[in-house]
Amino acid sequence: MLSSSQRKLRDYGIFLGLLIFIFAILFTLVIFSRTKWYDGLKEQVQEVLDREYPDTYIVGDAIEIEAVMSVSSAHYAIAKKTGEKKNLSAYIVRIATIYGPHAAVFVSDSAKDSVEFVGFALVDKETSERIENNAKKSQIAYWEKQIQESIKNEAK
């Protein structure tokens, strides 16, 4: 027969084993879904660029962000459809607006050291313009500055 302390130890061991098993499953699912998540964001960036600048840009592969902003954003290489070689990239960033959090798309040209707001994802052009008018001086300006600083830090 098992003593009281041995039973408790066995029960805690079983509980810990189940907890580790559940976390292993969750970790595996997150790793495998990351590619799908990046592909979905890539499609959103392409939709916004096509809406604002028809037949101008092609969105490329995701680029790893080495900054704190990587939690709420993704970075993609983009190219002009004309084949023009430039250091262009697009950022999709979740920003807080008066209407709640929305994904905003920015285009940066590292050669000119400039960042330009393009529009909001998953909303039509008219709604995007309304949100932009309310957030232009605060949130959009803040993220343009953060993206410029991120580009400067990556260049070092």
Side-chain angles (χ1 to χ4, degrees), residues 47-136:
E47 287 175 13
V48 172
L49 290 174
D50 287 343
R51 182 181 71 213
E52 299 295 329
Y53 307 115
D55 297 324
T56 305
Y57 295 108
I58 298 171
V59 179
D61 295 331
I63 301 170
E64 194 71 31
I65 299 175
E66 300 293 330
V68 176
M69 66 182 274
S70 67
V71 174
S72 62
S73 65
H75 180 202
Y76 294 92
I78 61 172
K80 289 199 172 197
K81 288 186 177 180
T82 59
E84 190 178 335
K85 300 276 184 187
K86 283 192 164 187
N87 295 329
L88 297 173
S89 58
Y91 288 83
I92 184 166
V93 181
R94 183 182 62 227
I95 66 172
T97 67
I98 194 168
Y99 301 104
H102 284 284
V105 176
F106 297 86
V107 171
S108 71
D109 185 351
S110 57
K112 295 179 183 176
D113 194 29
S114 66
V115 176
E116 176 189 354
F117 173 75
V118 178
F120 287 97
L122 298 177
V123 294
D124 57 67
K125 188 171 185 169
E126 184 179 318
T127 307
S128 177
E129 288 171 356
R130 278 193 224 137
I131 297 170
E132 179 183 352
N133 289 336
N134 287 321
K136 187 71 171 172

Side-chain angles (χ1 to χ4, degrees), residues 15-31:
F15 175 73
L16 185 62
L18 286 173
L19 198 60
I20 290 172
F21 178 72
I22 290 171
F23 277 117
I25 289 174
L26 288 174
F27 182 74
T28 304
L29 291 174
V30 166
I31 295 299

Side-chain angles (χ1 to χ4, degrees), residues 25-44:
I25 289 174
L26 288 174
F27 182 74
T28 304
L29 291 174
V30 166
I31 295 299
F32 287 124
S33 67
R34 180 174 286 174
T35 306
K36 183 102 171 135
W37 181 71
Y38 275 120
D39 290 344
L41 290 176
K42 179 180 176 179
E43 288 176 19
Q44 288 182 7

